[in-house]
């Protein structure tokens, strides 16, 4: 190692578990990071600072002002820019020796092999189930270890999935923990439920630590274990994860296209009404009932005046408890649309005959009808 590298990584070189050999392994490593959000942001910064030689950054989104509370790799000036560009600039500014490859794209079963080409391991910081399962299935097919995490409000889960790890470890993947993704709209996202920014920093750092351990061959990685992090109680609980019986598990070989379950987009079973049309209807002599199925904290940010507010969980538990007449003209809405679709389906199944869904949810209402209210 030259003098510059020796000085930069001196604190690593002092660690008996890392030393010069571990630092050389980091320099030779290639890590693909999926998603530059709350988890990918701190993980990328620490991987770059650790001296990982090549980082591939994959994300199709742009920086939004609502990201800045937790996605610490993006500065305020980057709002509106592609996340991969903002992240690449931050990585290069932190450590110019790191080779950065960017792909402004969403990883899918069809492009996974190309986007992950040459990677030693994958860090999954994606924020949607379709991408998470595509990443998992691609890693299982390509034989790549995947550092995975998920956050919800003040809690998180972290693990390392590897279909064919070295002995004595047994191979596991995301489908051993959750065999199939949940139905669209049944699990709230961070944008729906909220998340503490510091928690994503803590968990993203844990993910970077697991990646460094795997690269350097040190410590005991989270293979066959899931770490449950509860920030409110300051606890981390480890639970074992065993592979499902082979007769019921998915194939662990073959190209990603052959092993990945095709994503099924949600179908809209109920008529949609645009925000402008709904605004006009609300001024008529027979306005519809507007049912807001978001959480109270969301309603406090922005709301349609006069709406009936019942969280989705309560609607699903007992649609009749709302007290709507079977022939009532009802327009259901949430933040965007998925939760409203789920609530509309429950109401219809309970006997409601005139249920519509607000296209685009409250965000579309704010954008098209009442821009005086904030988006979130």
């Amino acid at each position: 190692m030259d003098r510059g590298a020796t000085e930069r990584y001196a604190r690593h070189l002092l660690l008996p578990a890392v030393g010069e050999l571990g630092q050389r392994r980091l320099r030779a490593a290639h890590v693909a990071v999926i998603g530059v959000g709350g988890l990918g942001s701190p993980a990328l910064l620490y991987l770059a600072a650790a001296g990982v030689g090549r980082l591939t950054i994959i994300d199709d989104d742009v920086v939004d002002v609502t990201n800045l509370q937790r996605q610490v790799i993006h500065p305020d000036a980057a709002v509106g820019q592609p996340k991969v560009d903002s992240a690449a600039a931050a990585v290069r500014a932190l450590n110019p020796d790191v080779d950065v490859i960017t792909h402004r794209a969403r990883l899918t079963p069809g492009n996974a092999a190309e986007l992950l080409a040459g990677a030693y391991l994958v860090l999954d910081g994606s924020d949607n189930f379709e991408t998470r399962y595509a990443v998992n299935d691609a890693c299982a097919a390509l034989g790549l270890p995947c550092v995975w995490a998920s956050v919800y409000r003040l809690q998180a889960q972290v693990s390392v999935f590897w279909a064919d790890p070295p002995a004595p470890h047994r191979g596991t993947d995301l489908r051993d923990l959750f065999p199939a993704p949940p139905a669209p709209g049944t699990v709230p996202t961070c944008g729906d439920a909220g998340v503490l920014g510091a928690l994503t920093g803590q968990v993203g750092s844990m993910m970077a630590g697991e990646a460094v351990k795997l690269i350097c061959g040190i410590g005991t990685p989270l293979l066959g274990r899931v770490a449950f992090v509860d920030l409110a109680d300051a606890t981390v609980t480890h639970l074992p994860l065993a592979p499902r019986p082979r007769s019921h598990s998915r194939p662990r070989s073959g190209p990603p296209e052959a092993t990945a379950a095709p994503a099924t987009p949600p179908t809209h079973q109920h008529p949609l009404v645009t925000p402008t049309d709904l605004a006009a209807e609300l001024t008529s002599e027979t306005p519809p009932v507007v049912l807001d199925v978001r959480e109270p904290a969301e309603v406090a940010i922005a709301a349609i005046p006069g709406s009936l507010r019942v969280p989705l969980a309560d609607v699903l538990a007992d649609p009749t408890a709302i007290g709507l007449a079977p022939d009532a003209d009802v327009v259901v809405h949430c933040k965007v649309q998925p939760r409203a679709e789920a609530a509309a389906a429950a109401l219809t199944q309970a006997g409601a005959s005139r249920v519509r869904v607000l296209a685009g949810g409250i965000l579309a209402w704010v954008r098209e009808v009442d821009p005086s209210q904030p988006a979130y």
Side-chain angles (χ1 to χ4, degrees):
M1 298 179 66
D2 60 32
R3 178 175 178 177
T6 299
E7 292 178 346
R8 177 182 283 271
Y9 306 116
R11 299 304 182 268
H12 273 180
L13 299 176
L14 293 172
L15 289 173
V18 180
E20 183 173 347
L21 177 59
Q23 196 60 50
R24 289 184 181 277
R25 286 174 173 171
L26 289 167
R27 181 69 184 93
H30 178 185
V31 178
V33 177
I34 317 297
V36 197
L39 298 175
S41 290
L44 270 171
L45 291 173
Y46 274 107
L47 291 173
V52 172
R54 174 170 292 183
L55 291 171
T56 290
I57 307 173
I58 304 168
D59 197 306
D60 66 340
D61 202 2
V62 298
V63 181
D64 185 83
V65 68
T66 62
N67 302 150
L68 304 181
Q69 163 258 6
R70 64 201 176 282
Q71 299 180 18
V72 293
I73 203 168
H74 307 297
D76 185 79
V79 171
Q81 296 179 13
K83 287 186 177 180
V84 292
D85 293 345
S86 172
V91 167
R92 293 183 178 115
L94 178 62
N95 191 344
D97 293 334
V98 177
D99 181 19
V100 183
I101 301 170
T102 61
H103 296 288
R104 189 182 178 188
R106 174 169 293 199
L107 188 141
T108 67
N111 64 16
E114 177 184 357
L115 296 182
L116 300 179
Y120 290 15
L121 64 86
V122 174
L123 190 149
D124 183 8
S126 60
D127 62 357
N128 66 88
F129 290 104
E130 181 180 353
T131 302
R132 288 176 187 170
Y133 280 84
V135 172
N136 173 80
D137 297 343
C139 288
L142 297 169
L144 298 175
C146 177
V147 182
W148 169 91
S150 176
V151 293
Y152 178 74
R153 291 181 172 167
L154 299 179
Q155 299 177 322
Q157 304 170 52
V158 191
S159 190
V160 173
F161 301 129
W162 198 349
D164 296 299
H169 300 287
R170 294 188 296 170
T172 57
D173 65 23
L174 177 60
R175 293 183 184 273
D176 294 314
L177 182 61
F178 302 113
T186 58
V187 177
T189 65
C190 288
D192 298 328
V195 64
L196 189 68
L199 174 63
T200 63
Q202 177 181 348
V203 175
S205 297
M206 289 178 66
M207 297 175 77
E210 289 300 309
V212 170
K213 285 159 59 181
L214 288 167
I215 293 167
C216 294
I218 61 176
T220 304
L222 280 171
L223 286 166
R225 293 182 295 152
V226 181
F228 289 85
V229 181
D230 190 324
L231 187 64
D233 294 335
T235 59
V236 180
T237 305
H238 291 83
L239 295 180
L241 176 64
R244 291 177 295 159
R246 288 284 176 148
S247 59
H248 298 98
S249 63
R250 306 178 68 259
R252 297 193 187 276
S253 61
E257 294 84 351
T259 63
T264 303
T267 57
H268 304 300
Q269 303 294 333
H270 298 84
L272 300 178
V273 57
T274 67
T276 52
D277 287 345
L278 176 60
E281 291 182 24
L282 290 176
T283 62
S284 69
E285 295 182 358
T286 56
V289 176
V290 178
L291 176 61
D292 186 341
V293 297
R294 296 174 299 150
E295 296 298 312
E298 296 179 85
V299 175
I301 297 174
I304 299 176
S307 57
L308 178 63
R309 294 152 191 181
V310 184
L312 175 61
D314 294 339
V315 176
L316 298 180
D318 187 1
T320 62
I322 302 173
L324 297 173
D327 61 346
D329 183 10
V330 182
V331 175
V332 190
H333 86 83
C334 59
K335 180 181 179 181
V336 182
Q337 204 166 306
R339 283 178 287 173
E341 294 281 353
L347 291 170
T348 301
Q349 190 172 15
S353 58
R354 301 172 62 196
V355 181
R356 293 176 290 168
V357 170
L358 177 62
I362 192 68
L363 293 186
W365 175 271
V366 169
R367 184 173 59 252
E368 300 175 22
V369 176
D370 188 3
S372 67
Q373 299 192 72
Y376 67 97

